[in-house]
Amino acid sequence: MKIVCIGGGHGLSQVLTALRPLNNDISAIIATTDNGGSTGKLRQAKNCIAYGDIRRCILALANSNNLLTLIAQQRFENAGELSSHSLGNLILLALSQVTQKPSEAIYWLCQLLDVQQTILPMSDQVTDLSATLIDGSKIVGECEIDALTELPQALGLTNPVQAPQQAINDILSADYVFIGPGSLLTSVLPVLLVENIQTALKNTMATRIFITNKTTENSVASLIRNQANELWATKILGFKFYDLILGQDAIFALDDRNLPLCEINQNDTLHDVTQLKHVLSQFICTKNQCKSTYKTNTNIIH
């Protein structure tokens, strides 16, 4: 079974952690427009794509007992210009300078960490997220857009980019495409704004499942009326990018383990990975096994 995951940030790494024991044929297509933290500093200095979310997703799939995995997670402290930088980001930047192509750099870090799944950037080309406000003014940069006090009328990329061909092939051959969770405007939508990814999502025979956030975002996305994030995003994109929505209520409804709440991670913002794994396992099964489960799921997931 072929699975494609789309998004960025902590949300996508959680989904990958949940899926890793269930299926090995996974491709993740990750947003590359982040301009904050260590990633933002590297982008400003080297005009590169954002590596932070890519690093996080690679490490989610790597063996946690691998020494290089532990080293790649480390951040420099009290180290002058290196302070706050993640070593994993620096390794990816160094590899990209050697290979001259971010997707190649990502491939080789995956090889070094023995990550069997496929990690791809939304594009090898540099671009930024751009928002157009109601008065026609434009705001550029994820951090700046997240901090807005009004919802933008449109979102776009500062320059058109194309996804790697493998990302397109994987979407077209997928059985499931999981989108999100994560910051709607700055983790999920950037990938969906890439033109050839849009075309692939429109043409794929895969079931496209939008996993919503556990709680309301602490960003401009909190202004979306009635929290109908998928409807607002569909309007921005100009096409319906999902077939099913897997929200927190549906996740609890599909969790048939009958565990007391105290045994489920009560983190305010992040999904419980064990619970997510159990729910996603109801999709990741053989066709015969899925028949009865799928009928049940379609009554719960809207």
Side-chain angles (χ1 to χ4, degrees):
M1 182 171 286
K2 178 66 182 176
I3 299 169
V4 171
C5 300
I6 290 175
H10 294 281
L12 186 60
S13 63
Q14 280 189 298
V15 172
L16 293 173
T17 301
L19 287 172
R20 180 187 176 195
L22 303 175
N23 194 78
N24 199 48
D25 194 358
I26 300 171
S27 294
I29 306 170
I30 303 167
T32 60
T33 51
D34 186 11
N35 67 332
S38 168
T39 289
K41 292 177 182 178
L42 291 179
R43 294 195 67 202
Q44 188 173 23
K46 297 295 184 181
N47 189 34
C48 59
I49 68 168
Y51 285 115
D53 288 350
I54 293 168
R55 179 204 78 245
R56 185 175 285 111
C57 290
I58 292 173
L59 294 179
L61 295 167
N63 183 346
S64 60
N65 293 321
N66 184 319
L67 180 59
L68 184 55
T69 301
L70 297 175
I71 292 173
Q73 291 173 342
Q74 299 307 304
R75 289 187 183 274
F76 292 95
E77 298 179 4
N78 302 316
E81 292 184 1
L82 286 175
S83 293
S84 83
H85 278 300
S86 163
L87 182 57
N89 289 353
L90 296 176
I91 292 172
L92 282 167
L93 177 62
L95 285 169
S96 71
Q97 292 177 343
V98 171
T99 63
Q100 300 297 306
K101 197 172 184 181
S103 54
E104 288 291 322
I106 294 163
Y107 169 80
W108 283 111
L109 182 57
C110 287
Q111 292 297 301
L112 289 170
L113 293 174
D114 195 27
V115 171
Q116 303 298 313
Q117 298 77 11
T118 301
I119 304 292
L120 295 164
M122 74 181 211
S123 179
D124 281 315
Q125 303 157 290
V126 176
T127 191
D128 280 290
L129 189 64
S130 172
T132 303
L133 304 185
I134 194 168
D135 64 1
S137 59
K138 290 188 179 292
I139 306 296
V140 174
E142 285 194 7
C143 294
E144 292 76 10
I145 291 170
D146 263 341
L148 288 171
T149 56
E150 64 174 280
L151 283 168
Q153 297 299 297
L155 285 175
L157 299 172
T158 53
N159 57 289
V161 296
Q162 293 289 301
Q165 187 58 47
Q166 185 176 357
I168 303 307
N169 294 342
D170 288 349
I171 292 172
L172 292 174
S173 63
D175 295 290
Y176 286 101
V177 176
F178 293 106
I179 302 169
S183 298
L184 181 66
L185 278 71
T186 55
S187 288
V188 175
L189 284 176
V191 186
L192 303 184
L193 289 168
V194 178
E195 185 177 356
N196 59 344
I197 288 178
Q198 288 193 4
T199 301
L201 285 172
K202 292 173 185 177
N203 293 327
T204 185
M205 296 299 290
T207 301
R208 304 165 303 171
I209 300 178
F210 178 38
I211 305 175
T212 65
N213 292 335
K214 185 175 180 180
T215 58
T216 302
E217 284 187 54
N218 183 25
S219 73
V220 67
S222 65
L223 301 176
I224 296 173
R225 191 182 218 174
N226 299 324
Q227 295 306 302
N229 289 2
E230 67 281 359
L231 300 180
W232 187 86
T234 294
K235 182 179 178 181
I236 289 290
L237 292 169
F239 76 102
K240 186 180 177 183
F241 62 95
Y242 61 91
D243 300 301
L244 301 173
I245 300 170
L246 186 59
Q248 185 63 14
D249 289 343
I251 288 173
F252 272 107
L254 291 168
D255 186 356
D256 55 8
R257 295 173 300 162
N258 297 317
L259 295 178
L261 283 177
C262 62
E263 293 189 28
I264 298 175
N265 180 9
Q266 296 300 301
N267 185 293
D268 289 339
T269 57
L270 298 177
H271 289 289
D272 178 84
V273 171
T274 303
Q275 184 181 55
L276 201 57
K277 173 187 170 185
H278 177 73
V279 170
L280 294 180
S281 71
Q282 297 177 48
F283 296 92
I284 314 307
C285 51
T286 66
K287 291 182 179 179
N288 288 336
Q289 290 173 324
C290 280
K291 285 180 180 178
S292 61
T293 303
Y294 184 76
K295 290 178 182 178
T296 303
N297 287 344
T298 53
N299 291 327
I300 296 173
I301 305 172
H302 57 282

